[in-house]
Amino acid sequence: MTARRRRIIDGTMSDRRYLTSAFAAVVLIGAVSYMAFNERLPFSNDFELRGRFSSANELTPGSPVRIAGVGIGQVSSIDAGPDDTSIVTMRLSDPSAVRADAALAIKPRLALEGSFQVEVRPGTPTALPVRDGALVPLRRTSVPVQLDQVLGTFDRPARAALRAWLHESATGLGARDAGKTGAN
């Protein structure tokens, strides 16, 4: 009898097959779990994209970067740029959708939360893919307008006209004048 037949009869060959199958199953389960719970593939390189904004608007490192609500990266740093602008550096995990004519916008994440995100409009499909480390110019970026910025645009005559308009509108809608008691 050959040594191979003796091992099969003794059960050592089947034990080795079970061990090999068990090891393959553990590796497969580990790989599937890793891909399910991590947004990046293990050997993929991050991609850096920079944007020049007129204001960083309470954006912080770690803020999400999204395309149509889907996270593709996060803000890695915010630095001062030329002419009172801000340079926002973002690390993207999937740069394939971003084109050279992409536009960036800082937007609030939730209405009353107070945190912000960078929303990427990826550009036209016919444009070239964006290069690693590219800078999106100021003309293709936007920031949200804050309430104090809106109210700060009114000078003294504009505020007086607004106050008069509100008073006349209230009078026209039948509101009582604050100076009268209403007993007359």
Side-chain angles (χ1 to χ4, degrees):
M1 196 185 280
T2 64
R4 184 169 190 259
R5 282 189 173 196
R6 212 172 299 141
R7 278 186 291 178
I8 291 173
I9 293 171
D10 293 342
T12 56
M13 187 67 90
S14 62
D15 290 345
R16 196 173 295 165
R17 284 185 185 158
Y18 285 128
L19 287 174
T20 304
S21 299
F23 180 73
V26 167
V27 169
L28 182 65
I29 290 171
V32 169
S33 298
Y34 180 83
M35 289 191 295
F37 294 109
N38 287 322
E39 59 189 49
R40 290 183 24 165
L41 293 175
F43 301 109
S44 65
N45 293 331
D46 280 343
F47 184 83
E48 186 173 277
L49 180 65
R50 298 176 309 138
R52 185 175 171 199
F53 291 90
S54 59
S55 169
N57 245 25
E58 297 188 35
L59 198 64
T60 59
S63 295
V65 178
R66 296 184 172 155
I67 292 179
V70 177
I72 61 164
Q74 62 183 336
V75 173
S76 59
S77 68
I78 301 169
D79 301 308
D83 302 324
D84 292 328
T85 59
S86 298
I87 304 294
V88 177
T89 305
M90 297 155 279
R91 304 293 295 171
L92 308 180
S93 59
D94 182 22
S96 62
V98 183
R99 300 295 181 185
D101 61 347
L104 305 173
I106 297 176
K107 294 188 173 184
R109 287 181 64 185
L110 297 173
L112 300 174
E113 182 187 21
S115 63
F116 290 85
Q117 68 182 8
V118 177
E119 184 71 31
V120 178
R121 288 172 289 211
T124 57
T126 57
L128 295 172
V130 70
R131 297 181 340 262
D132 186 21
L135 176 68
V136 177
L138 186 61
R139 69 179 180 275
R140 289 200 323 258
T141 62
S142 63
V143 295
V145 178
Q146 302 293 322
L147 183 61
D148 64 329
Q149 293 170 329
V150 172
L151 297 176
T153 61
F154 293 131
D155 57 356
R156 186 177 301 271
R159 286 193 303 266
L162 179 62
R163 191 175 305 115
W165 177 79
L166 287 172
H167 178 70
E168 293 299 321
S169 296
T171 303
L173 291 173
R176 296 182 185 199
D177 193 1
K180 294 182 181 178
T181 61
N184 294 346

